Amino acid sequence: MVVDRQPLLEVHDLRVTLRNGLEVIRGVDFVAEAGKVLGIVGESGSGKSIMMRAALGLSPSLSTVTGSIKLRGEELVGANERRMRELRGSRIGLVFQDPMTALNPVITVGKLIAEAVRLHKPHMSAAEARRRSIELLELVAVPQPEVRANQYVHEFSGGMKQRAMIAIAIANNPEVLIADEPTTALDVTVQAQILEVLKNLQSRFSIGLVLITHDLGVVAGAADTVVVMYAGKVMETGAVRDIFYHSRHPYTRGLLSCLPTISGNQSRLEPISGSPPLLSARPAGCPFHPRCSMAQDVCRTEEPILRKVDRAMTACHFAEALRGGAVGKMASQGGRA
């Protein structure tokens, strides 16, 4: 038996430039593996969603995508629209951020799912597609799937809408499932349920799950590897445990300091000062330096490269200083280290 050892989804030096010449994604690299969860984390505007939409051929109109995006070795950058339509929904599934705007409100949920199935399997009968839609609703833990299949989107709660969106995304057994902020606007209990559904699907079908979120807490118990993005660039990447316990970037530390703990040692949450830069007004040097308590002159003039520091890849001039006593000292100066 021949074993396919090619990475499931491999992205190298990905760059997305808008028609006005603004580069919004700048040299991003990552690998998503079958049966694994890749978490892509960053504040709003960091480029997470536009990066993954580039992988689906859904970049903004007249934008330019360069670099490499390979699905099982097949290059997607430059692929024609006909080929991308064949891949979208069949080999690559996408869970949109807002199911209310992504789902058609005048078609029953069962028909929405059946439509997604028959789009890639046109010879399937309507009855078979209906049975498949009910199976999918049951698979994503929707109660009474036979009844729910006849209901409309407005009759579903927020969590149920998201489950229906997931059912559509996995309708044709994709190899890669991209979930773009799947828990936004959901309460913590429903968030946990949606994450559990995604994890079960990923484990059961050996899907490569790409989980896009602004919340490191969401990926803490779900992801195997994490990519931390800021201003269209990767700030830090590595195994989830290394990122959470041995981070070497002030931005990642800042995101972690915003998370509540149950240890009782944290008296208050420490937000990162300032706001992310507009991509049209990105500062020179390290894009994070205006908000960083460690910033030095070199940070304002020279952009750090992504390099190996201990067990993670980090883009910080002073990554080596974020160890031991240095960490505690910097954390006491504002919680951003």
Side-chain angles (χ1 to χ4, degrees):
M1 181 177 67
V2 178
V3 178
D4 187 355
R5 298 188 180 278
Q6 289 181 321
L8 178 56
L9 184 67
E10 186 176 19
V11 174
H12 176 65
D13 195 27
L14 179 63
R15 297 176 183 272
V16 178
T17 305
L18 302 183
R19 57 183 174 179
N20 61 1
L22 180 64
E23 192 175 49
V24 292
I25 301 297
R26 305 183 295 136
V28 170
D29 296 85
F30 66 83
V31 175
E33 300 179 20
K36 301 288 186 180
V37 181
L38 171 68
I40 299 180
V41 183
E43 293 170 283
S44 297
S46 62
K48 309 182 300 296
S49 296
I50 196 170
M51 176 180 68
M52 294 313 303
R53 286 173 181 266
L56 290 164
L58 297 175
S59 296
S61 177
L62 301 181
S63 62
T64 302
V65 180
T66 61
S68 176
I69 304 171
K70 291 183 178 179
L71 177 65
R72 292 288 189 200
E74 179 183 354
E75 182 60 68
L76 303 186
V77 173
N80 59 46
E81 180 59 21
R82 180 178 179 180
R83 178 55 178 158
M84 293 307 301
R85 286 183 178 179
E86 292 173 352
L87 295 175
R88 288 195 295 263
S90 59
R91 296 181 64 189
I92 306 176
L94 176 61
V95 179
F96 290 95
Q97 181 172 346
D98 184 0
M100 196 61 209
T101 58
L103 298 174
N104 191 329
V106 300
I107 301 177
T108 62
V109 171
K111 286 185 178 180
L112 284 172
I113 300 173
E115 185 180 74
V117 175
R118 297 187 73 188
L119 184 64
H120 293 279
K121 298 175 182 176
H123 301 298
M124 179 179 284
S125 68
E128 289 175 321
R130 162 132 183 119
R131 285 195 293 271
R132 176 61 175 160
S133 69
I134 293 172
E135 290 174 1
L136 288 162
L137 286 173
E138 185 175 13
L139 189 62
V140 297
V142 171
Q144 298 180 298
E146 298 88 351
V147 176
R148 292 291 188 174
N150 294 321
Q151 294 181 334
Y152 293 87
V153 175
H154 72 270
E155 298 178 87
F156 278 42
S157 66
M160 297 285 279
K161 290 185 183 78
Q162 198 61 279
R163 290 170 193 258
M165 188 76 254
I166 295 171
I168 292 173
I170 65 168
N172 295 289
N173 302 315
E175 297 174 75
V176 180
L177 180 61
I178 301 171
D180 187 0
E181 299 276 12
T183 60
T184 296
L186 301 177
D187 63 57
V188 292
T189 302
V190 179
Q191 280 186 16
Q193 293 171 353
I194 295 300
L195 290 174
E196 186 66 22
V197 168
L198 290 171
K199 280 288 289 178
N200 287 341
L201 292 171
Q202 172 264 324
S203 177
R204 179 172 177 177
F205 299 107
S206 195
I207 295 172
L209 176 60
V210 181
L211 185 59
I212 301 172
T213 179
H214 62 274
D215 187 353
L216 270 174
V218 169
V219 302
D224 298 289
T225 56
V226 180
V227 174
V228 181
M229 291 192 65
Y230 187 80
K233 183 179 178 180
V234 176
M235 295 285 102
E236 192 164 34
T237 182
V240 65
R241 187 173 183 85
D242 293 334
I243 296 300
F244 271 76
Y245 292 101
H246 307 286
S247 170
R248 295 289 179 257
H249 200 287
Y251 179 56
T252 308
R253 296 287 179 101
L255 293 177
L256 289 170
S257 72
C258 297
L259 296 177
T261 68
I262 59 174
S263 65
N265 297 325
Q266 187 179 32
S267 59
R268 58 177 294 179
L269 300 181
E270 295 287 352
I272 305 173
S273 63
S275 301
L278 295 174
L279 294 178
S280 58
R282 194 166 45 232
C286 175
F288 186 61
H289 85 256
R291 308 171 69 190
C292 181
S293 61
M294 293 179 62
Q296 304 292 326
D297 288 343
V298 66
C299 305
R300 300 179 181 92
T301 57
E302 183 179 335
E303 187 166 22
I305 62 171
L306 194 66
R307 58 196 175 90
K308 186 71 175 290
V309 180
D310 292 338
R311 289 172 285 190
M313 299 289 290
T314 303
C316 178
H317 292 299
F318 302 102
E320 287 80 4
L322 287 170
R323 290 193 181 103
V327 173
K329 181 179 178 181
M330 293 170 200
S332 67
Q333 294 174 348
R336 295 189 297 276

